[in-house]
Amino acid sequence: MDRRLMAHQPAESVNWHPAGFDHFTGDVWFGLMHAAADADGVSVLGVSFAPGARSDWHSHPGGQVLYVVAGVARVHAEGGTTVTAGPGDTVHAKPGEVHWHGAAPDSPMVHLSITAGGDTEWLPRKVSDKEYGA
């Protein structure tokens, strides 16, 4: 019988990095929780957004699940309406669905980003203040 232990990553060992402004507006930090074992594997990131901060428009080849841990999130799929999500809520973007996500204007937000199927596909455009406020 195989008695290997599951991998354990203590919270203090997560290395949080600023996301930068190439693909984000505002202050955003991320910490890798689980790296994909291969190009099609599952990746999990913790992402922390300051109030009003948001990602650029993007998609994921295998889709994305967002699990809101704290604060208030805004998530918008191209051509759809903006969803507001709070702690414990889950939002699912289908494979290839163009979308953005971030914090509400008056609340920081932390979510887990769970993706599979390869790297994020960033579109060359920011989410405008008008799009964010809609």
Side-chain angles (χ1 to χ4, degrees):
M1 180 187 312
D2 186 2
R3 295 190 182 259
R4 289 182 281 179
L5 295 175
M6 294 180 279
H8 171 235
Q9 182 178 13
E12 61 273 7
S13 72
V14 176
N15 195 359
W16 290 84
H17 298 279
F21 299 107
D22 289 345
H23 302 299
F24 295 90
T25 298
D27 291 328
V28 179
W29 291 73
F30 64 90
L32 182 63
M33 306 292 169
H34 175 77
D38 57 43
D40 292 327
V42 172
S43 176
V44 180
L45 284 175
V47 188
S48 176
F49 294 81
R54 57 203 179 257
S55 71
D56 291 355
W57 289 98
H58 65 282
S59 66
H60 304 274
Q64 180 181 44
V65 174
L66 299 174
Y67 176 78
V68 180
V69 176
V72 179
R74 284 189 174 178
V75 184
H76 185 95
E78 193 168 49
T81 58
T82 300
V83 172
T84 299
D89 291 348
T90 302
V91 181
H92 177 241
K94 296 176 184 172
E97 185 173 44
V98 174
H99 66 283
W100 61 264
H101 40 93
D106 58 351
S107 173
M109 185 270 293
V110 177
H111 69 52
L112 294 180
S113 166
I114 305 161
T115 59
D119 293 338
T120 300
E121 296 173 352
W122 294 101
L123 278 67
R125 70 182 209 254
K126 297 277 185 195
V127 174
S128 70
D129 288 343
K130 183 177 180 182
E131 290 171 316
Y132 175 76

